[in-house]
Amino acid sequence: MEASIKDMNIPFNKPHLTGKEAHYMYQAVAEGKLSGNGAFTKKCQHFFEERYGFKKCLLTTSCTDALEMAAILCDIQYGDEVIVPSYTFVSSALAFVRAGAKIIFADSMKENPNIDAEQIEALITPRTKVIVPVHYAGVACDMDRIMEIAEKHHLIVVEDAAQAIDSYYKGRPLGSIGHLSAFSFHETKNIISGEGGLLCINDEHFIRRAEIIWEKGTNRAEFFRGEVNKYGWVDTGSSFLPSEVIAAFLWAQLEQLDDIQSRRKHLWNLYHTNLLPIANSQSPKFALANIPDYATNNSHMFYIVCNNLEERTTLIKHLKDNGILAVFHYLSLHSSPYYQDKHDGRALPECDRYADCLVRLPMYYDLKDEEVIKVCNIIKDFVYNK
Ligand SMILES: *Cc1c(COP(=O)(O)O)cnc(C)c1O
């Protein structure tokens, strides 16, 4: 007998396939050009440049790699300071730490987990070089404010837009505002290639060097364009470019970007409509995401924020007992085992609150409407009957 929806388990994430991935991967294989920077890579890069107006795009093997390229381009020297929110993934900070930077962690806003732009200026010293806004859940940071501060203090802005594909700030695509930006195509993101990433270069003076760093410190790209008659080792770099097989997979996803986004938005709105009355009730048990007027929502994630750690733990357990995998997210990086003794000791209470209280609900393309309703009903049951 087929299991009814009532008995089915709902995972937290399921990678979505559009159906053309294997076809394009086969095509890449058949064409016999498997290393990077071939036809599929160029197609993907052009897609992003055309659709979002990024000046230059380079596919990378991950967002972490794109951020490492950004750290090299920013010319981080030992002891340079980089301002990063503490409530983020390790890579937002690690890429700069590997280049020798000291991370100055910033707190989140009360309204949402993004960096509190109003607290940035107090963290700037003569050693500050870079600000890394992270668009949490694909919702924009206050980029006008951040760019204004950066300009005043001659700082570089690297957007960690890992979660922010197809999302906007005052009508401008995220990833197009900072000097540099990085996206992720990890299988947990909206658009995927298993592992994969993208570096976007908006400040043109970084373009030439970015291509060299991307191609292991060589001016190979210029050689293939016929701009130089031999190529060699001209700078630092690494093997940051993915193979054509990965780019072919990504291309199948990009062709369906609008469909993927509209399905995710539908699911997000379904959660929102069903949970809003509970979040608005008297003495609510949780708050919904706050999306500022300047930001759009790309439905990367649906999260709620509980009142405290204990209630979150009970809610996650209640969902799990009902076959639903909901998960918390980051532990504050300023108190991580790797960085706590390097952190300057400032308390970052909002980051800690999100670390303790935020829960992400299942969110993926193939999630069914009735599964969303089921999750909402189980949360209702938790709020009213526990
Ligand atoms: C996923 C993610 C990354 C890392 O992306 P990879 O492609 O796995 O390297 C970095 N920053 C943030 C905010 C992320 O969500």
Side-chain angles (χ1 to χ4, degrees), residues 170-237:
K170 298 184 181 171
R172 297 156 72 193
L174 296 186
S176 73
I177 304 167
H179 302 86
L180 299 163
S181 65
F183 288 90
S184 173
F185 308 120
H186 185 267
E187 72 164 41
T188 52
K189 305 301 202 277
N190 291 24
I191 300 294
I192 61 173
S193 64
E195 303 277 355
L198 179 75
L199 177 73
C200 304
I201 301 132
N202 300 312
D203 179 337
E204 280 164 352
H205 97 269
F206 287 120
I207 293 177
R208 180 171 181 265
R209 192 158 184 239
E211 280 187 329
I212 291 168
I213 291 165
W214 190 56
E215 289 258 33
K216 303 125 184 136
T218 73
N219 55 348
R220 201 163 167 270
E222 289 173 344
F223 173 72
F224 280 118
R225 284 197 298 263
E227 293 165 17
V228 291
N229 56 18
K230 54 179 186 289
Y231 76 89
W233 185 10
V234 296
D235 202 338
T236 186

Side-chain angles (χ1 to χ4, degrees), residues 61-65 67 88-89 91-92 134 160 162-163 183-186 188-189 195-197 300 330:
T61 44
S62 65
C63 177
T64 304
D65 266 0
L67 290 166
T88 183
F89 188 62
S91 304
S92 320
V134 180
D160 181 339
Q163 305 171 10
F183 288 90
S184 173
F185 308 120
H186 185 267
T188 52
K189 305 301 202 277
E195 303 277 355
H300 170 60
Y330 306 126

Side-chain angles (χ1 to χ4, degrees), residues 12 87 312 316 326-331 354-360:
F12 170 66
Y87 192 73
R312 183 183 73 176
I316 291 176
V327 292
F328 55 83
H329 211 181
Y330 306 126
L331 303 169
Y354 290 113
D356 284 350
C357 302
L358 187 146
V359 194
R360 296 174 292 158

Side-chain angles (χ1 to χ4, degrees), residues 78-98:
Y78 182 78
D80 284 346
E81 294 177 359
V82 176
I83 297 173
V84 182
S86 179
Y87 192 73
T88 183
F89 188 62
V90 175
S91 304
S92 320
L94 178 59
F96 295 92
V97 168
R98 277 168 53 76

